[in-house]
Amino acid sequence: MGKNQCPLVIFSYRWSSDLHRLQLNRSAIAFFLIVFWLCSHKVHAGTTFSAGADVGYLSGFTSYKIGEIEYDPTYGYYSWGSKLEWPIDSVVAGPYLSLNANNQFLIDVSLRTNITDETGKIKDSDYFNGYRFIYSESDARMEMYDFNLKGRINLSRDQKNTVGLIGGYRYQDFSFEASNLEQASLIHEYNGSESGVVLKYDVNYSIPYVGLAITSLAGPDTLLELSGQLGFVTVKDVDDHVLRYKKSTGHSTGESIGLSGSITHDLAPISYIRLTAEYTMIGADGTLTQIWYATTDEAPEGYTIKDIDLKIESEQILVSLGVGIRF
């Protein structure tokens, strides 16, 4: 390898034909190319470059809840609601790249996807006047991508500890299919089961964030890092009730909290191993639009309901182990 060449991390993940995912794919590719260009042109004396990959276990959920208080001339005011909780438990893996300019300015970029897709049971609850009258579970299959671009500027430093300001952008996309429905209800005719795909759901989180990070030397070859981030979240989600020929589209905004910790241990002058734990909590509020794309007993084709109250939540825990090389 010549002195002006950048090492390439070869990775593969499942490309989707969905148009909305092109934004994620293009963003990831563009930044990887920028990092390679910076590395090859030696932008700053003392700049080091590292590349690696990690594998880990992701657990938690993403959920949405809708509901309204309405008035009927016969029965008066009443409330209804529905909540779906989608499990995200899976093994994930992906590459990461880093630039470190004299330990003063750092850039990290990573991309993860799931390598197992059966995540557990989807929980679907329907409520009327505060009482749950329908509950169902279905088998969940998931496809996810998690892209994270983070920069850090160190503000203070001594022989052991360094404190820095961080800022970045994170984009997550989760796509689900639900199948093999098992449903129980207080209303007898709503009890039953259904095989095959019954529901599809896609949600993506766009999160610019800021925070603080502290690193500390725990030994000549070991580095500890703790960080916390606050983010502003924009959420787009689409729910396709296949059996009811009804598609729901939501837009929400809210906040996120992120906490992470890592231990990096040098195996050799240019290689290292890293253990990382991350926690993410997301909450957002918005509105939902429902449209029937075929005529059913519920509504004719094209019938639309707008401005339904929507609440999005997600809680994620990731523990991963990675290896990398410095150049």
Side-chain angles (χ1 to χ4, degrees):
M1 181 178 294
K3 64 179 181 179
N4 291 324
Q5 290 180 301
C6 258
L8 298 179
V9 177
I10 301 173
F11 67 96
S12 64
Y13 58 92
R14 293 163 297 186
W15 292 85
S16 170
S17 61
D18 296 341
L19 291 178
H20 73 274
R21 293 217 180 109
L22 290 177
Q23 178 184 0
L24 170 61
N25 296 332
R26 289 171 179 170
S27 298
I29 292 173
F31 197 80
F32 274 59
L33 292 175
I34 290 171
V35 172
F36 293 148
W37 183 87
L38 290 174
C39 177
S40 65
H41 286 75
K42 307 295 185 183
V43 296
H44 194 287
T47 296
T48 60
F49 174 85
S50 65
D54 64 8
V55 61
Y57 189 77
L58 175 67
S59 65
F61 67 89
T62 183
S63 71
Y64 76 85
K65 182 178 181 180
I66 60 173
E68 295 282 349
I69 297 175
E70 299 187 11
Y71 178 79
D72 183 272
T74 303
Y75 301 103
Y77 287 99
Y78 66 94
S79 65
W80 64 270
S82 181
K83 181 179 180 180
L84 282 83
E85 184 175 298
W86 305 80
I88 61 174
D89 302 342
S90 58
V91 178
V92 298
Y96 58 85
L97 303 170
S98 300
L99 278 175
N100 184 332
N102 287 327
N103 203 31
Q104 186 62 40
F105 178 69
L106 301 90
I107 298 177
D108 298 312
V109 61
S110 65
L111 180 62
R112 292 189 179 101
T113 187
N114 58 305
I115 56 177
T116 60
D117 57 11
E118 295 181 354
T119 60
K121 294 289 186 180
I122 296 166
K123 300 175 182 179
D124 186 352
S125 301
D126 291 320
Y127 298 88
F128 184 79
N129 283 340
Y131 294 95
R132 187 170 71 181
F133 72 99
I134 298 178
Y135 176 75
S136 68
E137 291 187 352
S138 307
D139 296 329
R141 298 181 72 92
M142 182 188 74
E143 183 177 316
M144 67 82 69
Y145 302 95
D146 187 346
F147 170 75
N148 195 5
L149 166 61
K150 179 176 68 175
R152 171 173 171 170
I153 298 176
N154 287 330
L155 303 176
S156 65
R157 180 173 25 175
D158 58 30
Q159 291 183 342
K160 185 177 181 180
N161 302 304
T162 304
V163 178
L165 177 67
I166 60 177
Y169 174 76
R170 189 176 186 183
Y171 182 90
Q172 293 184 308
D173 185 280
F174 296 90
S175 293
F176 298 91
E177 277 193 354
S179 58
N180 305 322
L181 171 75
E182 295 288 342
Q183 182 167 289
S185 173
L186 298 176
I187 304 173
H188 179 71
E189 54 264 35
Y190 289 167
N191 292 324
S193 61
E194 186 75 32
S195 60
V197 176
V198 297
L199 190 64
K200 297 179 180 180
Y201 182 63
D202 187 276
V203 59
N204 59 73
Y205 298 107
S206 179
I207 314 173
Y209 61 87
V210 294
L212 289 173
I214 301 173
T215 56
S216 179
L217 289 172
D221 301 318
T222 303
L223 186 69
L224 305 180
E225 180 173 345
L226 297 175
S227 67
Q229 308 96 39
L230 294 176
F232 176 79
V233 185
T234 301
V235 186
K236 296 181 180 180
D237 68 317
V238 179
D239 178 305
D240 186 355
H241 273 62
V242 176
L243 297 181
R244 298 168 65 186
Y245 301 97
K246 182 181 70 172
K247 182 170 287 189
S248 303
T249 303
H251 295 84
S252 311
T253 57
E255 297 78 35
S256 71
I257 297 174
L259 302 172
S260 66
S262 67
I263 303 173
T264 303
H265 180 73
D266 290 345
L267 301 175
I270 65 167
S271 63
Y272 60 89
I273 188 171
R274 177 181 297 159
L275 176 66
T276 303
E278 301 177 13
Y279 172 79
T280 304
M281 183 174 65
I282 297 170
D285 295 286
T287 59
L288 187 80
T289 297
Q290 296 182 337
I291 183 169
W292 277 257
Y293 53 87
T295 298
T296 69
D297 293 338
E298 288 184 271
E301 181 180 357
Y303 183 74
T304 303
I305 304 175
K306 297 182 178 180
D307 297 326
I308 300 171
D309 290 340
L310 170 65
K311 185 176 183 62
I312 299 285
E313 293 181 337
S314 182
E315 192 168 11
Q316 307 168 23
I317 298 174
L318 173 66
V319 178
S320 63
L321 183 65
V323 293
I325 299 175
R326 299 186 186 94
F327 296 86

